[in-house]
Amino acid sequence: MEFVQYKCPCCGAALEFSPKTQKLSCNSCGNQYDLETIEQCEQEERLLGEQELAWEYQREEQGAKRTESGLYICPSCGAEIEGDENTVSTVCPYCDNVVVIKAASSGEFEPDVMIPFQIKGEQARQKLLQFCKGKRLLPKNFRNRSYLKNLRGYYVPYWLFDCKASADMSFNATRVRTWSDSEYNYVETSHYLVSRAGTMEFVHVPVDGSLEMEDNTTESIEPFDYSGLTSFQPAYLAGYETDKYNVDAKTAENRAKQRLYNTAEEVLRRTVQGYQSVNVKRRRLEAQEGRVFYALLPVWMFETVYGGKKYQFAINGQTGKMVGELPVDQGAFWKYFCGFTAIGTVVCSILGLLLFGGLL
């Protein structure tokens, strides 16, 4: 497995992609480079490297080595780093250099399109801190800044489905009329079978291609602004973690179909008006000109385990939309519960004295 690193042409330090400038920046010397410049530098190095790699022993010296335990050797500092079969990019825990595993981002695993990060790490961290602010039942370590270092930028693998569709649905609907006379109250319920049909076009219906990501989480931080889609460039991965998909397009198709059905039902159902109740009886959807794209979309992730339960927090790395469930400190919960109960008891006692004290 071959590693690719993006290093500053001036000082050799690791480069990171900056969402603000949309360039690769060097934290060491402060220089910034656009992708074309880095690609030109890489091309020049490849031309030089091709001559060197003609020697077998040099190829062994410069190639990334894999240990017997399945780990990989960081080409910068020589430390062992983890990189399973799904890892596309990761960070060396010793020298903090970002490495991209080239073999995992090429061929069938090379994305068609991607959206680069627009939200910087500090912005994401501030959003999370603001969300936690004022929540007294939150465990104390959750508010700890060092604890929030677990926040990581992550390119999530997605499948984007496009198609034109013909929808045909029927609904059971009712209208209720009530009236009264001098003796009785009357209720009349009329039942209707309502049919609707139409054509619609779906563009980039997203389904995440990662088993580690929960569908409810990824769908909650939608929508992404697909006008920001660009062709895949490995340089955008610098500074962020990335996994290749482990849910293939065929498997993801089932989720996409469900989303198509739900959207078509919602659109057609909005045209059924003037009824007290509306329920779907039958729905049919035929898709034509279907296409699917493999994409990487930016997400800031925060995961923690509290009380034996995993909590996952996600922030859209393009729009900043945030979703997640916060844990509750049970000790703090019972403390406040008992406090409120005591206050309530005192208040009730005072009210009782004020209302009924004069009767005794």
Side-chain angles (χ1 to χ4, degrees):
M1 190 172 288
E2 182 184 358
F3 286 99
V4 177
Q5 283 186 301
Y6 295 94
K7 293 189 175 182
C8 176
C10 293
C11 68
L15 295 175
E16 293 187 2
F17 177 73
S18 171
K20 182 178 181 180
T21 64
Q22 296 293 291
K23 293 183 179 181
L24 289 167
S25 60
C26 176
N27 293 328
S28 179
C29 66
N31 283 315
Q32 294 185 337
Y33 309 91
D34 54 33
L35 299 182
E36 291 76 12
T37 301
I38 295 299
E39 288 175 355
Q40 184 177 355
C41 292
E42 284 189 336
Q43 185 176 2
E44 292 174 356
E45 287 190 9
R46 281 196 297 269
L47 293 175
L48 295 174
E50 286 175 0
Q51 297 176 352
E52 296 176 356
L53 292 176
W55 302 95
E56 184 175 353
Y57 71 88
Q58 288 186 347
R59 182 162 57 246
E60 291 177 355
E61 288 287 331
Q62 296 191 10
K65 298 179 181 179
R66 188 173 186 177
T67 65
E68 294 181 358
S69 60
L71 301 176
Y72 290 88
I73 303 299
C74 174
S76 179
C77 69
E80 291 185 339
I81 56 176
E82 295 183 359
D84 61 27
E85 59 182 6
N86 293 319
T87 302
V88 175
S89 66
T90 188
V91 179
C92 175
Y94 297 95
C95 67
D96 288 331
N97 275 331
V98 178
V99 293
V100 177
I101 302 176
K102 191 174 182 180
S105 61
S106 60
E108 65 175 307
F109 295 108
E110 180 174 344
D112 301 305
V113 290
M114 67 183 300
I115 295 178
F117 272 87
Q118 302 293 324
I119 302 295
K120 294 194 290 187
E122 186 57 33
Q123 291 175 302
R125 193 170 288 106
Q126 289 301 321
K127 284 179 176 291
L128 185 55
L129 285 170
Q130 188 63 31
F131 185 81
C132 296
K133 188 176 181 180
K135 297 190 171 50
R136 297 184 177 182
L137 300 184
L138 195 66
K140 291 182 179 180
N141 60 352
F142 214 84
R143 302 188 189 93
N144 191 314
R145 272 189 166 272
S146 62
Y147 190 65
L148 292 180
K149 288 182 179 179
N150 292 335
L151 187 72
R152 60 192 178 99
Y154 179 50
Y155 278 107
V156 179
Y158 272 84
W159 297 104
L160 304 180
F161 291 85
D162 291 2
C163 72
K164 294 181 179 178
S166 299
D168 181 6
M169 298 186 180
S170 60
F171 304 87
N172 289 323
T174 62
R175 284 179 179 154
V176 179
R177 185 169 71 96
T178 60
W179 71 95
S180 303
D181 58 20
S182 58
E183 297 184 18
Y184 301 101
N185 296 323
Y186 301 91
V187 178
E188 177 187 77
T189 303
S190 301
H191 297 265
Y192 300 86
L193 178 61
V194 183
S195 297
R196 292 289 188 270
T199 58
M200 53 196 73
E201 184 173 357
F202 294 92
V203 179
H204 297 343
V205 176
V207 178
D208 79 75
S210 171
L211 289 173
E212 288 71 30
M213 295 291 294
E214 298 178 1
D215 289 338
N216 291 336
T217 299
T218 54
E219 291 175 10
S220 295
I221 61 172
E222 295 174 11
F224 287 89
D225 180 4
Y226 294 120
S227 65
L229 281 173
T230 184
S231 59
F232 172 69
Q233 297 285 350
Y236 287 127
L237 306 182
Y240 305 96
E241 297 182 32
T242 314
D243 284 348
K244 65 186 181 182
Y245 67 83
N246 50 19
V247 176
D248 59 28
K250 191 64 178 176
T251 304
E253 185 179 333
N254 294 326
R255 183 69 175 179
K257 286 181 178 178
Q258 186 61 44
R259 301 197 72 180
L260 294 177
Y261 266 110
N262 292 342
T263 301
E265 177 185 325
E266 181 182 352
V267 171
L268 295 181
R269 188 177 186 136
R270 285 202 298 261
T271 67
V272 183
Q273 300 179 356
Y275 300 93
Q276 269 71 39
S277 67
V278 178
N279 297 296
V280 177
K281 180 181 181 181
R282 179 184 60 86
R283 62 181 191 176
R284 185 175 63 87
L285 191 70
E286 291 184 358
Q288 306 88 29
E289 303 179 22
R291 296 191 301 168
V292 60
F293 302 90
Y294 177 34
L296 294 179
L297 303 183
V299 178
W300 286 102
M301 293 295 304
F302 177 79
E303 291 183 344
T304 187
V305 176
Y306 182 80
K309 180 181 177 181
K310 184 177 80 170
Y311 292 87
Q312 191 176 76
F313 213 95
I315 301 173
N316 188 311
Q318 182 197 34
T319 66
K321 185 177 180 181
M322 184 168 45
V323 65
E325 180 186 3
L326 295 174
V328 174
D329 187 331
Q330 295 297 322
F333 171 80
W334 288 111
K335 175 182 176 181
Y336 281 102
F337 178 80
C338 294
F340 285 128
T341 302
I343 292 173
T345 302
V346 172
V347 171
C348 290
S349 300
I350 294 174
L351 288 175
L353 290 173
L354 293 174
L355 293 173
F356 305 108
L359 300 178
L360 298 178

